[in-house]
Amino acid sequence: MTVSSLPKRFVSIGECMVELAQIGAETYRRGFAGDTFNTAWYARRLLPDEWQVGYLSAIGTDAVSGEMRAFMEASGVDTSALREIPDRTVGLYMISTDKGERSFSYWRSQAAARLLAEDERWLDDRLSNAGMVHFSGITLAILSPEHRQRLCNALNLARANGTIVSFDTNLRPRLWESPEAMKAGLLLGASAADIVLPSFDEETELFGDGLPDDTIRRYAEQGAKMVVVKNGEAPLTAYSEETGQFTLTPTPVENVTDTTAAGDSFAAGVLAQLAMGATPEQAAETAMALARRVIQSPGALVPDIFEEGFET
């Protein structure tokens, strides 16, 4: 992967949703979040100002869609790749808590993001001149099979023009038609990516992997030049064409408050560091440090980390 000559434009693709988080017995706080948007939010704070960070998705033309766009822009995320679709809206999820345990309810059947890959020419245009592009298993899961293929075709075209593509496998079984469709979708996504960021527990459950080496081998065979296998508190195992395989042991966290966006912030740390010329090992170390800070705070987006001066 040639990083030094990249156009300074990072594009994340997927679905941002309205989040209702319970803060009292009958009170909820509204926010906006979603796996690939979370990555864009963190990438914006990690990358130098000369980098543009944008979000590619689809929203409706209703009030809440407009408020979501305004929130993204206020966060420093470019919204020129947000497509507006009349008679659609944005998805919503509600977080309920019971004695500290979190549960989620979703409403996304009318989410415009399900049609983000509807227009192939529009996709190709919005991905042109991007230095880095990031998407996830959730991005693919919300699309129809035809649109999944269309998105991956657009990503492969971007790669042929020099863009580096990252794929976070991020499994959500309920979003897929079947386990077989999920397996096929993940392999399709990996085949359109240079960097794959899987979680070992999910890979074991879906593919039966016995070791992180099995995960690395599968995605390298799909064409990935770098595979970083997250494994919770266990050592991280990664492979890069340039440097070979390495492992890193995470620093234990005594007070885990909320694991939301741990993987999303990790992805941002890896990609931002690679974009700035770090080695794969340096990038993974920074990503682990950022995710460690994120899980010690409530919520997906933690501005306090950067206000306190997070060192990259």
Side-chain angles (χ1 to χ4, degrees), residues 12 15-16 19 32-45 55 71 93 134 260-265 268 299-301:
S12 199
E15 179 182 26
C16 186
E19 177 189 78
F32 298 102
D35 68 330
T36 54
F37 174 73
N38 301 340
T39 297
W41 190 93
Y42 283 104
R44 174 64 284 164
R45 280 143 188 81
Y55 197 62
F71 172 77
Y93 68 96
H134 177 70
T260 304
D264 310 333
S265 59
L301 310 177

Side-chain angles (χ1 to χ4, degrees), residues 30 34 88 93 116 140-141 154 192 208 218 225 230 243 246-247 284 291:
R30 192 194 70 173
R88 288 272 178 162
Y93 68 96
L116 69 84
L140 295 179
R218 177 172 52 259
K225 298 179 176 66
K230 298 159 285 181
T243 61
F246 61 89
T247 61

Side-chain angles (χ1 to χ4, degrees), residues 66-268:
E67 290 164 7
M68 178 181 286
R69 180 192 289 274
F71 172 77
M72 291 182 181
E73 292 172 349
S75 300
V77 175
D78 178 72
T79 61
S80 60
L82 278 186
R83 199 164 152 254
E84 291 188 350
I85 302 178
D87 302 322
R88 288 272 178 162
T89 184
V90 293
L92 178 150
Y93 68 96
M94 183 172 68
I95 307 170
S96 300
T97 55
D98 181 17
K99 298 178 182 178
E101 294 296 321
R102 292 153 56 93
S103 61
F104 297 81
S105 301
Y106 292 88
W107 294 266
R108 66 199 325 163
S109 62
Q110 290 301 306
R114 289 179 173 272
L115 301 177
L116 69 84
E118 185 178 40
D119 187 329
E120 188 169 6
R121 183 176 298 179
W122 179 87
L123 266 181
D124 292 341
D125 178 68
R126 293 305 185 275
L127 293 178
S128 65
N129 199 36
M132 275 190 167
V133 171
H134 177 70
F135 72 117
S136 75
I138 295 177
T139 307
L140 295 179
I142 64 170
L143 305 178
S144 68
E146 179 185 356
H147 286 187
R148 282 173 205 152
Q149 186 64 61
R150 187 172 298 166
L151 174 60
C152 289
N153 290 344
L155 292 168
N156 277 317
L157 177 61
R159 289 175 74 200
N161 291 327
T163 300
I164 293 175
V165 175
S166 163
F167 178 52
D168 185 340
T169 54
N170 214 358
L171 305 191
R172 294 294 186 275
R174 285 193 227 175
L175 292 177
W176 293 90
E177 302 92 322
S178 65
E180 291 72 26
M182 183 161 56
K183 286 182 181 180
L186 293 186
L187 295 177
L188 174 66
S191 72
D194 302 286
I195 301 167
V196 180
L197 306 171
S199 294
F200 184 61
D201 59 339
E202 295 179 342
E203 301 295 317
T204 295
E205 184 174 346
L206 184 62
F207 290 101
D209 291 356
L211 296 168
D213 288 7
D214 300 326
T215 307
I216 289 172
R217 186 178 305 110
R218 177 172 52 259
Y219 292 124
E221 287 174 353
Q222 294 300 310
K225 298 179 176 66
M226 182 174 175
V227 183
V228 183
V229 185
K230 298 159 285 181
N231 198 9
E233 297 178 355
L236 172 149
T237 307
Y239 160 80
S240 165
E241 263 190 353
E242 300 170 3
T243 61
Q245 190 160 316
F246 61 89
T247 61
L248 295 172
T249 301
T251 301
V253 177
E254 292 183 4
N255 300 311
V256 176
T257 300
D258 186 349
T259 59
T260 304
D264 310 333
S265 59
F266 180 91

